[in-house]
Amino acid sequence: MKKFTLGLCSLLVTAGMLIGCGNAKDTGTAEAETAVTTEVTEQTTEAEVQTEADLQGDIQADPTTVNIVALKGPTAMGMVYFMDQNEQGNTADNQYQFSIAAAVDEVTPMLVKGEVDIAAVPANLASVLYNNTEGQVQVMAINTLGVLYLMGNQGELTAVEELEGKTIYASGKGATPEYALNYILSANGIDPQTDVTIEWKSEHTECLSALLADEEGIAMLPQPFVTTAQMKNEKINVIMDLTREWEKLQENSEAPSALLTGVVVVRKEFAQSHPEAVAAFLGHYQQSVQFVNENITEAAELVGKYEIVTKEVAEKALPYCNITYIDGTQMKEKLSGYLSVLFEQNPKAVGGTLPADDFYYLP
C-alpha cells in the first residue's frame, strides 16, 4: 500500500508540474493533461477498492475463545508445544485458554456445565459422557495409546495369574485404567473382586506414594509416573506391561483392538457453532504432538515449564508415553473396537450402550 501511495504521489506531482507550465502549452495539451489526471484518479479509486476488497478477504472472523483442559500426564504432555506457542502469541487465530487437571473428576463437571469446550479425557469416559449428555459430546482424536504398567519391587511377572492374592494400588476408577485392569484379570481367570485387592486412589501420585511405602505392593501406573517411580527408587521396576497383555488377549480376534488411554473430545454445541475454531485447534494440536515426539529434549523443557512433571522425568518418559494423534475414520475404527471390548466386559464402562456414529467427529 505504501508503494502504491508513493507511486500515486509521483504521478500527481508530475501532473502538478505540467499544470504549472500551462501558459507555455496549447489548449490541446491542457486537455490531454486533464484526461491523464482523470484516468489516474479513476485508476486510483479502482485500485483502492480492489485493495480494500483484498484486505476484507484476508480478515478472519472475530477470534473465538476456546477453553481447553487436559489431565496431568501424557494427554497434557502432548499439548505443551501448543500451549507454549499460544503463550508466545503465535496462535492468533483464536484465544486459547488452557488448564491442567490432576484428576478426571475435575474434568467431567467442567464439560457438562459448558465451562470448557475441549478436553483430553480417558477413552472410555468419552463414551460415558456421550451417553450421559444424550450425545452432546463428540470425540475428535485419539491422543494416547497404551501407557499402563504394573510396577513393583519384585522381578517381572511371567503370567497374569501370578497377581492372585496381591495388593494393587491404582488410580482411575470408573475410567480406562479400571476397565483395562479388570478385563485383563478376568480374561486370565482372576476375579478382580475376590482374587486380588485393589486399593483405588484419587491420583497417580498417591499410588506412587503407597508403592514406595509398601515393599510387597504393586502399583498400576501410566507414564510418566512409571519413570518417576524408578527415579525415586531404583529397586522399583516394570513387572508387567498391560498393553502387551491386552494384545495377547486380542491375538485371535477377527478385528483385534488396541488398548487406548486417551482421546480429545469437544462439546457438540461448540463444534457446530465454531467449526473453524475446532479445525484450527486440531491443526495446532497435531503439530504439537509431532513436535513433542520429534524433539524430546525441547519438549521435556516445556513439560517442566508447565509443571506436569519435572524436565528430568519427562526426558526419560516421553519416548514411552505413546503420545499420538489419530483422527478421522482411523480414529473411529480403533476407538469403536476398544469400546466394544469394554462393553462386552461391562456395559457401564462405556455408559450403558455403545455410542452411535455421531459420537465420532468426522467433519
PDB file of all heavy atoms in Angstrom, residues 150-155 157 159-169 181 185 190-199 214-219 239:
ATOM      1  N   LEU A 150       2.296 -52.275  35.415  1.00  0.00           N
ATOM      2  CA  LEU A 150       2.311 -52.677  36.820  1.00  0.00           C
ATOM      3  C   LEU A 150       3.751 -52.567  37.305  1.00  0.00           C
ATOM      4  O   LEU A 150       4.676 -53.069  36.663  1.00  0.00           O
ATOM      5  CB  LEU A 150       1.805 -54.110  37.001  1.00  0.00           C
ATOM      6  CG  LEU A 150       0.336 -54.365  36.658  1.00  0.00           C
ATOM      7  CD1 LEU A 150      -0.051 -55.806  36.991  1.00  0.00           C
ATOM      8  CD2 LEU A 150      -0.593 -53.390  37.380  1.00  0.00           C
ATOM      9  N   MET A 151       3.926 -51.892  38.433  1.00  0.00           N
ATOM     10  CA  MET A 151       5.246 -51.647  38.997  1.00  0.00           C
ATOM     11  C   MET A 151       5.378 -52.338  40.350  1.00  0.00           C
ATOM     12  O   MET A 151       4.404 -52.467  41.093  1.00  0.00           O
ATOM     13  CB  MET A 151       5.468 -50.137  39.185  1.00  0.00           C
ATOM     14  CG  MET A 151       5.188 -49.294  37.955  1.00  0.00           C
ATOM     15  SD  MET A 151       6.370 -49.598  36.642  1.00  0.00           S
ATOM     16  CE  MET A 151       7.869 -48.977  37.418  1.00  0.00           C
ATOM     17  N   GLY A 152       6.587 -52.770  40.673  1.00  0.00           N
ATOM     18  CA  GLY A 152       6.815 -53.399  41.960  1.00  0.00           C
ATOM     19  C   GLY A 152       8.293 -53.595  42.237  1.00  0.00           C
ATOM     20  O   GLY A 152       9.150 -53.294  41.403  1.00  0.00           O
ATOM     21  N   ASN A 153       8.582 -54.101  43.427  1.00  0.00           N
ATOM     22  CA  ASN A 153       9.967 -54.361  43.816  1.00  0.00           C
ATOM     23  C   ASN A 153      10.438 -55.735  43.357  1.00  0.00           C
ATOM     24  O   ASN A 153      11.623 -56.041  43.389  1.00  0.00           O
ATOM     25  CB  ASN A 153      10.107 -54.275  45.345  1.00  0.00           C
ATOM     26  CG  ASN A 153       9.939 -52.852  45.838  1.00  0.00           C
ATOM     27  OD1 ASN A 153      10.563 -51.925  45.319  1.00  0.00           O
ATOM     28  ND2 ASN A 153       9.092 -52.654  46.846  1.00  0.00           N
ATOM     29  N   GLN A 154       9.496 -56.584  42.972  1.00  0.00           N
ATOM     30  CA  GLN A 154       9.841 -57.931  42.541  1.00  0.00           C
ATOM     31  C   GLN A 154      10.219 -57.949  41.065  1.00  0.00           C
ATOM     32  O   GLN A 154      10.129 -56.944  40.373  1.00  0.00           O
ATOM     33  CB  GLN A 154       8.666 -58.899  42.797  1.00  0.00           C
ATOM     34  CG  GLN A 154       7.340 -58.482  42.193  1.00  0.00           C
ATOM     35  CD  GLN A 154       6.514 -57.591  43.082  1.00  0.00           C
ATOM     36  OE1 GLN A 154       6.911 -56.492  43.383  1.00  0.00           O
ATOM     37  NE2 GLN A 154       5.360 -58.068  43.504  1.00  0.00           N
ATOM     38  N   GLY A 155      10.632 -59.098  40.597  1.00  0.00           N
ATOM     39  CA  GLY A 155      11.017 -59.215  39.200  1.00  0.00           C
ATOM     40  C   GLY A 155       9.803 -59.245  38.289  1.00  0.00           C
ATOM     41  O   GLY A 155       8.653 -59.317  38.751  1.00  0.00           O
ATOM     42  N   LEU A 157       6.800 -60.296  36.105  1.00  0.00           N
ATOM     43  CA  LEU A 157       5.886 -61.435  36.175  1.00  0.00           C
ATOM     44  C   LEU A 157       5.793 -62.092  34.805  1.00  0.00           C
ATOM     45  O   LEU A 157       5.764 -61.407  33.775  1.00  0.00           O
ATOM     46  CB  LEU A 157       4.499 -60.975  36.626  1.00  0.00           C
ATOM     47  CG  LEU A 157       4.416 -60.280  37.995  1.00  0.00           C
ATOM     48  CD1 LEU A 157       2.970 -59.906  38.302  1.00  0.00           C
ATOM     49  CD2 LEU A 157       4.978 -61.169  39.092  1.00  0.00           C
ATOM     50  N   ALA A 159       3.272 -64.289  34.045  1.00  0.00           N
ATOM     51  CA  ALA A 159       1.870 -64.566  33.725  1.00  0.00           C
ATOM     52  C   ALA A 159       0.972 -63.729  34.629  1.00  0.00           C
ATOM     53  O   ALA A 159       1.316 -63.451  35.787  1.00  0.00           O
ATOM     54  CB  ALA A 159       1.559 -66.051  33.904  1.00  0.00           C
ATOM     55  N   VAL A 160      -0.186 -63.350  34.104  1.00  0.00           N
ATOM     56  CA  VAL A 160      -1.136 -62.549  34.867  1.00  0.00           C
ATOM     57  C   VAL A 160      -1.593 -63.300  36.117  1.00  0.00           C
ATOM     58  O   VAL A 160      -1.861 -62.696  37.166  1.00  0.00           O
ATOM     59  CB  VAL A 160      -2.349 -62.182  33.985  1.00  0.00           C
ATOM     60  CG1 VAL A 160      -3.409 -61.431  34.798  1.00  0.00           C
ATOM     61  CG2 VAL A 160      -1.906 -61.334  32.797  1.00  0.00           C
ATOM     62  N   GLU A 161      -1.659 -64.617  36.024  1.00  0.00           N
ATOM     63  CA  GLU A 161      -2.119 -65.424  37.160  1.00  0.00           C
ATOM     64  C   GLU A 161      -1.276 -65.205  38.416  1.00  0.00           C
ATOM     65  O   GLU A 161      -1.757 -65.445  39.539  1.00  0.00           O
ATOM     66  CB  GLU A 161      -2.098 -66.919  36.777  1.00  0.00           C
ATOM     67  CG  GLU A 161      -3.156 -67.324  35.764  1.00  0.00           C
ATOM     68  CD  GLU A 161      -2.753 -67.014  34.324  1.00  0.00           C
ATOM     69  OE1 GLU A 161      -1.634 -66.483  34.111  1.00  0.00           O
ATOM     70  OE2 GLU A 161      -3.548 -67.294  33.414  1.00  0.00           O
ATOM     71  N   GLU A 162      -0.069 -64.750  38.261  1.00  0.00           N
ATOM     72  CA  GLU A 162       0.810 -64.507  39.408  1.00  0.00           C
ATOM     73  C   GLU A 162       0.355 -63.323  40.266  1.00  0.00           C
ATOM     74  O   GLU A 162       0.865 -63.114  41.355  1.00  0.00           O
ATOM     75  CB  GLU A 162       2.235 -64.269  38.924  1.00  0.00           C
ATOM     76  CG  GLU A 162       2.879 -65.486  38.263  1.00  0.00           C
ATOM     77  CD  GLU A 162       4.279 -65.196  37.766  1.00  0.00           C
ATOM     78  OE1 GLU A 162       5.092 -64.698  38.563  1.00  0.00           O
ATOM     79  OE2 GLU A 162       4.567 -65.443  36.575  1.00  0.00           O
ATOM     80  N   LEU A 163      -0.622 -62.583  39.768  1.00  0.00           N
ATOM     81  CA  LEU A 163      -1.145 -61.444  40.536  1.00  0.00           C
ATOM     82  C   LEU A 163      -2.145 -61.883  41.613  1.00  0.00           C
ATOM     83  O   LEU A 163      -2.504 -61.087  42.489  1.00  0.00           O
ATOM     84  CB  LEU A 163      -1.834 -60.447  39.598  1.00  0.00           C
ATOM     85  CG  LEU A 163      -0.915 -59.674  38.639  1.00  0.00           C
ATOM     86  CD1 LEU A 163      -1.749 -58.920  37.615  1.00  0.00           C
ATOM     87  CD2 LEU A 163      -0.033 -58.713  39.419  1.00  0.00           C
ATOM     88  N   GLU A 164      -2.584 -63.102  41.546  1.00  0.00           N
ATOM     89  CA  GLU A 164      -3.575 -63.569  42.512  1.00  0.00           C
ATOM     90  C   GLU A 164      -3.057 -63.420  43.941  1.00  0.00           C
ATOM     91  O   GLU A 164      -1.928 -63.782  44.267  1.00  0.00           O
ATOM     92  CB  GLU A 164      -3.922 -65.043  42.250  1.00  0.00           C
ATOM     93  CG  GLU A 164      -5.079 -65.554  43.110  1.00  0.00           C
ATOM     94  CD  GLU A 164      -5.569 -66.920  42.658  1.00  0.00           C
ATOM     95  OE1 GLU A 164      -5.059 -67.438  41.639  1.00  0.00           O
ATOM     96  OE2 GLU A 164      -6.462 -67.459  43.325  1.00  0.00           O
ATOM     97  N   GLY A 165      -3.895 -62.845  44.800  1.00  0.00           N
ATOM     98  CA  GLY A 165      -3.551 -62.636  46.206  1.00  0.00           C
ATOM     99  C   GLY A 165      -2.762 -61.360  46.464  1.00  0.00           C
ATOM    100  O   GLY A 165      -2.470 -61.037  47.622  1.00  0.00           O
ATOM    101  N   LYS A 166      -2.419 -60.608  45.426  1.00  0.00           N
ATOM    102  CA  LYS A 166      -1.619 -59.406  45.585  1.00  0.00           C
ATOM    103  C   LYS A 166      -2.491 -58.177  45.868  1.00  0.00           C
ATOM    104  O   LYS A 166      -3.688 -58.168  45.604  1.00  0.00           O
ATOM    105  CB  LYS A 166      -0.793 -59.137  44.323  1.00  0.00           C
ATOM    106  CG  LYS A 166       0.137 -60.274  43.906  1.00  0.00           C
ATOM    107  CD  LYS A 166       1.290 -60.429  44.873  1.00  0.00           C
ATOM    108  CE  LYS A 166       2.287 -61.467  44.349  1.00  0.00           C
ATOM    109  NZ  LYS A 166       3.428 -61.657  45.274  1.00  0.00           N
ATOM    110  N   THR A 167      -1.846 -57.132  46.393  1.00  0.00           N
ATOM    111  CA  THR A 167      -2.489 -55.830  46.568  1.00  0.00           C
ATOM    112  C   THR A 167      -1.997 -54.900  45.468  1.00  0.00           C
ATOM    113  O   THR A 167      -0.796 -54.761  45.252  1.00  0.00           O
ATOM    114  CB  THR A 167      -2.154 -55.220  47.937  1.00  0.00           C
ATOM    115  OG1 THR A 167      -2.703 -56.054  48.974  1.00  0.00           O
ATOM    116  CG2 THR A 167      -2.741 -53.818  48.060  1.00  0.00           C
ATOM    117  N   ILE A 168      -2.946 -54.298  44.766  1.00  0.00           N
ATOM    118  CA  ILE A 168      -2.610 -53.398  43.657  1.00  0.00           C
ATOM    119  C   ILE A 168      -3.145 -52.004  43.977  1.00  0.00           C
ATOM    120  O   ILE A 168      -4.345 -51.827  44.229  1.00  0.00           O
ATOM    121  CB  ILE A 168      -3.215 -53.892  42.328  1.00  0.00           C
ATOM    122  CG1 ILE A 168      -2.730 -55.315  42.011  1.00  0.00           C
ATOM    123  CG2 ILE A 168      -2.867 -52.933  41.195  1.00  0.00           C
ATOM    124  CD1 ILE A 168      -3.402 -55.927  40.793  1.00  0.00           C
ATOM    125  N   TYR A 169      -2.251 -51.035  43.987  1.00  0.00           N
ATOM    126  CA  TYR A 169      -2.654 -49.641  44.168  1.00  0.00           C
ATOM    127  C   TYR A 169      -2.901 -49.049  42.779  1.00  0.00           C
ATOM    128  O   TYR A 169      -2.053 -49.170  41.882  1.00  0.00           O
ATOM    129  CB  TYR A 169      -1.568 -48.848  44.897  1.00  0.00           C
ATOM    130  CG  TYR A 169      -1.200 -49.425  46.238  1.00  0.00           C
ATOM    131  CD1 TYR A 169       0.014 -50.115  46.415  1.00  0.00           C
ATOM    132  CD2 TYR A 169      -2.060 -49.315  47.327  1.00  0.00           C
ATOM    133  CE1 TYR A 169       0.356 -50.654  47.642  1.00  0.00           C
ATOM    134  CE2 TYR A 169      -1.732 -49.862  48.559  1.00  0.00           C
ATOM    135  CZ  TYR A 169      -0.528 -50.528  48.718  1.00  0.00           C
ATOM    136  OH  TYR A 169      -0.190 -51.070  49.939  1.00  0.00           O
ATOM    137  N   LEU A 181      -7.675 -52.995  33.519  1.00  0.00           N
ATOM    138  CA  LEU A 181      -7.167 -53.939  34.508  1.00  0.00           C
ATOM    139  C   LEU A 181      -8.162 -55.076  34.730  1.00  0.00           C
ATOM    140  O   LEU A 181      -7.777 -56.259  34.757  1.00  0.00           O
ATOM    141  CB  LEU A 181      -6.882 -53.217  35.835  1.00  0.00           C
ATOM    142  CG  LEU A 181      -6.371 -54.081  36.979  1.00  0.00           C
ATOM    143  CD1 LEU A 181      -5.052 -54.765  36.614  1.00  0.00           C
ATOM    144  CD2 LEU A 181      -6.201 -53.241  38.254  1.00  0.00           C
ATOM    145  N   LEU A 185      -7.434 -59.047  33.992  1.00  0.00           N
ATOM    146  CA  LEU A 185      -7.527 -60.005  35.101  1.00  0.00           C
ATOM    147  C   LEU A 185      -8.581 -61.065  34.815  1.00  0.00           C
ATOM    148  O   LEU A 185      -8.328 -62.273  34.916  1.00  0.00           O
ATOM    149  CB  LEU A 185      -7.867 -59.273  36.398  1.00  0.00           C
ATOM    150  CG  LEU A 185      -6.778 -58.369  36.993  1.00  0.00           C
ATOM    151  CD1 LEU A 185      -7.325 -57.603  38.197  1.00  0.00           C
ATOM    152  CD2 LEU A 185      -5.550 -59.176  37.400  1.00  0.00           C
ATOM    153  N   ILE A 190      -8.841 -64.443  36.794  1.00  0.00           N
ATOM    154  CA  ILE A 190      -8.728 -63.817  38.119  1.00  0.00           C
ATOM    155  C   ILE A 190      -9.912 -62.875  38.341  1.00  0.00           C
ATOM    156  O   ILE A 190     -10.153 -61.972  37.528  1.00  0.00           O
ATOM    157  CB  ILE A 190      -7.411 -63.035  38.259  1.00  0.00           C
ATOM    158  CG1 ILE A 190      -6.220 -63.986  38.128  1.00  0.00           C
ATOM    159  CG2 ILE A 190      -7.350 -62.287  39.576  1.00  0.00           C
ATOM    160  CD1 ILE A 190      -4.876 -63.299  38.204  1.00  0.00           C
ATOM    161  N   ASP A 191     -10.642 -63.085  39.420  1.00  0.00           N
ATOM    162  CA  ASP A 191     -11.776 -62.227  39.758  1.00  0.00           C
ATOM    163  C   ASP A 191     -11.252 -60.955  40.425  1.00  0.00           C
ATOM    164  O   ASP A 191     -10.669 -61.031  41.520  1.00  0.00           O
ATOM    165  CB  ASP A 191     -12.725 -62.967  40.708  1.00  0.00           C
ATOM    166  CG  ASP A 191     -14.014 -62.200  40.951  1.00  0.00           C
ATOM    167  OD1 ASP A 191     -14.004 -60.953  40.838  1.00  0.00           O
ATOM    168  OD2 ASP A 191     -15.035 -62.837  41.268  1.00  0.00           O
ATOM    169  N   PRO A 192     -11.460 -59.790  39.813  1.00  0.00           N
ATOM    170  CA  PRO A 192     -10.946 -58.543  40.402  1.00  0.00           C
ATOM    171  C   PRO A 192     -11.532 -58.224  41.772  1.00  0.00           C
ATOM    172  O   PRO A 192     -10.916 -57.490  42.553  1.00  0.00           O
ATOM    173  CB  PRO A 192     -11.362 -57.478  39.375  1.00  0.00           C
ATOM    174  CG  PRO A 192     -11.580 -58.229  38.109  1.00  0.00           C
ATOM    175  CD  PRO A 192     -12.101 -59.569  38.522  1.00  0.00           C
ATOM    176  N   GLN A 193     -12.706 -58.808  42.066  1.00  0.00           N
ATOM    177  CA  GLN A 193     -13.370 -58.526  43.333  1.00  0.00           C
ATOM    178  C   GLN A 193     -12.870 -59.395  44.484  1.00  0.00           C
ATOM    179  O   GLN A 193     -12.861 -58.951  45.640  1.00  0.00           O
ATOM    180  CB  GLN A 193     -14.888 -58.720  43.175  1.00  0.00           C
ATOM    181  CG  GLN A 193     -15.516 -57.889  42.076  1.00  0.00           C
ATOM    182  CD  GLN A 193     -15.366 -56.400  42.306  1.00  0.00           C
ATOM    183  OE1 GLN A 193     -15.472 -55.920  43.434  1.00  0.00           O
ATOM    184  NE2 GLN A 193     -15.106 -55.651  41.238  1.00  0.00           N
ATOM    185  N   THR A 194     -12.450 -60.605  44.179  1.00  0.00           N
ATOM    186  CA  THR A 194     -12.120 -61.541  45.255  1.00  0.00           C
ATOM    187  C   THR A 194     -10.691 -62.083  45.231  1.00  0.00           C
ATOM    188  O   THR A 194     -10.145 -62.450  46.271  1.00  0.00           O
ATOM    189  CB  THR A 194     -13.090 -62.743  45.222  1.00  0.00           C
ATOM    190  OG1 THR A 194     -12.972 -63.415  43.951  1.00  0.00           O
ATOM    191  CG2 THR A 194     -14.530 -62.289  45.414  1.00  0.00           C
ATOM    192  N   ASP A 195     -10.095 -62.159  44.051  1.00  0.00           N
ATOM    193  CA  ASP A 195      -8.786 -62.805  43.943  1.00  0.00           C
ATOM    194  C   ASP A 195      -7.611 -61.857  44.133  1.00  0.00           C
ATOM    195  O   ASP A 195      -6.474 -62.289  44.315  1.00  0.00           O
ATOM    196  CB  ASP A 195      -8.645 -63.509  42.587  1.00  0.00           C
ATOM    197  CG  ASP A 195      -9.634 -64.663  42.433  1.00  0.00           C
ATOM    198  OD1 ASP A 195     -10.084 -65.204  43.468  1.00  0.00           O
ATOM    199  OD2 ASP A 195      -9.971 -65.014  41.281  1.00  0.00           O
ATOM    200  N   VAL A 196      -7.868 -60.560  44.049  1.00  0.00           N
ATOM    201  CA  VAL A 196      -6.842 -59.549  44.315  1.00  0.00           C
ATOM    202  C   VAL A 196      -7.461 -58.435  45.149  1.00  0.00           C
ATOM    203  O   VAL A 196      -8.687 -58.313  45.235  1.00  0.00           O
ATOM    204  CB  VAL A 196      -6.266 -58.946  43.003  1.00  0.00           C
ATOM    205  CG1 VAL A 196      -5.506 -59.984  42.207  1.00  0.00           C
ATOM    206  CG2 VAL A 196      -7.378 -58.319  42.170  1.00  0.00           C
ATOM    207  N   THR A 197      -6.606 -57.648  45.764  1.00  0.00           N
ATOM    208  CA  THR A 197      -7.078 -56.473  46.499  1.00  0.00           C
ATOM    209  C   THR A 197      -6.651 -55.228  45.734  1.00  0.00           C
ATOM    210  O   THR A 197      -5.451 -54.980  45.564  1.00  0.00           O
ATOM    211  CB  THR A 197      -6.478 -56.428  47.920  1.00  0.00           C
ATOM    212  OG1 THR A 197      -6.870 -57.607  48.628  1.00  0.00           O
ATOM    213  CG2 THR A 197      -6.963 -55.189  48.667  1.00  0.00           C
ATOM    214  N   ILE A 198      -7.631 -54.485  45.253  1.00  0.00           N
ATOM    215  CA  ILE A 198      -7.330 -53.265  44.505  1.00  0.00           C
ATOM    216  C   ILE A 198      -7.704 -52.065  45.368  1.00  0.00           C
ATOM    217  O   ILE A 198      -8.865 -51.888  45.729  1.00  0.00           O
ATOM    218  CB  ILE A 198      -8.098 -53.208  43.167  1.00  0.00           C
ATOM    219  CG1 ILE A 198      -7.783 -54.447  42.322  1.00  0.00           C
ATOM    220  CG2 ILE A 198      -7.720 -51.930  42.404  1.00  0.00           C
ATOM    221  CD1 ILE A 198      -8.572 -54.524  41.022  1.00  0.00           C
ATOM    222  N   GLU A 199      -6.724 -51.288  45.722  1.00  0.00           N
ATOM    223  CA  GLU A 199      -6.956 -50.078  46.512  1.00  0.00           C
ATOM    224  C   GLU A 199      -6.942 -48.875  45.571  1.00  0.00           C
ATOM    225  O   GLU A 199      -5.903 -48.532  45.013  1.00  0.00           O
ATOM    226  CB  GLU A 199      -5.889 -49.924  47.597  1.00  0.00           C
ATOM    227  CG  GLU A 199      -5.982 -50.964  48.707  1.00  0.00           C
ATOM    228  CD  GLU A 199      -5.125 -50.591  49.902  1.00  0.00           C
ATOM    229  OE1 GLU A 199      -4.675 -49.424  49.997  1.00  0.00           O
ATOM    230  OE2 GLU A 199      -4.900 -51.482  50.750  1.00  0.00           O
ATOM    231  N   ASP A 214       5.273 -49.571  50.578  1.00  0.00           N
ATOM    232  CA  ASP A 214       4.921 -50.983  50.695  1.00  0.00           C
ATOM    233  C   ASP A 214       5.832 -51.809  49.791  1.00  0.00           C
ATOM    234  O   ASP A 214       5.638 -51.868  48.578  1.00  0.00           O
ATOM    235  CB  ASP A 214       3.450 -51.179  50.316  1.00  0.00           C
ATOM    236  CG  ASP A 214       2.997 -52.632  50.471  1.00  0.00           C
ATOM    237  OD1 ASP A 214       3.814 -53.486  50.884  1.00  0.00           O
ATOM    238  OD2 ASP A 214       1.818 -52.905  50.161  1.00  0.00           O
ATOM    239  N   GLU A 215       6.795 -52.463  50.365  1.00  0.00           N
ATOM    240  CA  GLU A 215       7.762 -53.223  49.581  1.00  0.00           C
ATOM    241  C   GLU A 215       7.134 -54.402  48.854  1.00  0.00           C
ATOM    242  O   GLU A 215       7.660 -54.857  47.839  1.00  0.00           O
ATOM    243  CB  GLU A 215       8.897 -53.727  50.490  1.00  0.00           C
ATOM    244  CG  GLU A 215       9.799 -52.614  51.021  1.00  0.00           C
ATOM    245  CD  GLU A 215      11.000 -53.157  51.763  1.00  0.00           C
ATOM    246  OE1 GLU A 215      11.110 -54.403  51.867  1.00  0.00           O
ATOM    247  OE2 GLU A 215      11.830 -52.347  52.231  1.00  0.00           O
ATOM    248  N   GLU A 216       6.030 -54.899  49.383  1.00  0.00           N
ATOM    249  CA  GLU A 216       5.374 -56.049  48.760  1.00  0.00           C
ATOM    250  C   GLU A 216       4.269 -55.620  47.799  1.00  0.00           C
ATOM    251  O   GLU A 216       3.670 -56.459  47.121  1.00  0.00           O
ATOM    252  CB  GLU A 216       4.770 -56.955  49.840  1.00  0.00           C
ATOM    253  CG  GLU A 216       5.795 -57.532  50.809  1.00  0.00           C
ATOM    254  CD  GLU A 216       6.817 -58.409  50.106  1.00  0.00           C
ATOM    255  OE1 GLU A 216       6.422 -59.143  49.180  1.00  0.00           O
ATOM    256  OE2 GLU A 216       8.014 -58.343  50.463  1.00  0.00           O
ATOM    257  N   GLY A 217       3.982 -54.332  47.769  1.00  0.00           N
ATOM    258  CA  GLY A 217       2.855 -53.851  46.970  1.00  0.00           C
ATOM    259  C   GLY A 217       3.153 -53.757  45.482  1.00  0.00           C
ATOM    260  O   GLY A 217       4.298 -53.860  45.030  1.00  0.00           O
ATOM    261  N   ILE A 218       2.085 -53.574  44.740  1.00  0.00           N
ATOM    262  CA  ILE A 218       2.150 -53.391  43.287  1.00  0.00           C
ATOM    263  C   ILE A 218       1.321 -52.162  42.954  1.00  0.00           C
ATOM    264  O   ILE A 218       0.244 -51.952  43.523  1.00  0.00           O
ATOM    265  CB  ILE A 218       1.604 -54.623  42.538  1.00  0.00           C
ATOM    266  CG1 ILE A 218       2.491 -55.843  42.792  1.00  0.00           C
ATOM    267  CG2 ILE A 218       1.477 -54.352  41.050  1.00  0.00           C
ATOM    268  CD1 ILE A 218       1.913 -57.142  42.251  1.00  0.00           C
ATOM    269  N   ALA A 219       1.800 -51.350  42.060  1.00  0.00           N
ATOM    270  CA  ALA A 219       1.048 -50.163  41.646  1.00  0.00           C
ATOM    271  C   ALA A 219       0.827 -50.186  40.144  1.00  0.00           C
ATOM    272  O   ALA A 219       1.737 -50.534  39.380  1.00  0.00           O
ATOM    273  CB  ALA A 219       1.775 -48.885  42.043  1.00  0.00           C
ATOM    274  N   ILE A 239       6.915 -54.677  36.167  1.00  0.00           N
ATOM    275  CA  ILE A 239       6.739 -56.117  36.285  1.00  0.00           C
ATOM    276  C   ILE A 239       5.728 -56.657  35.271  1.00  0.00           C
ATOM    277  O   ILE A 239       5.654 -57.868  35.047  1.00  0.00           O
ATOM    278  CB  ILE A 239       6.323 -56.527  37.715  1.00  0.00           C
ATOM    279  CG1 ILE A 239       4.975 -55.908  38.091  1.00  0.00           C
ATOM    280  CG2 ILE A 239       7.395 -56.120  38.717  1.00  0.00           C
ATOM    281  CD1 ILE A 239       4.446 -56.386  39.436  1.00  0.00           C
TER     282      ILE A 239
END
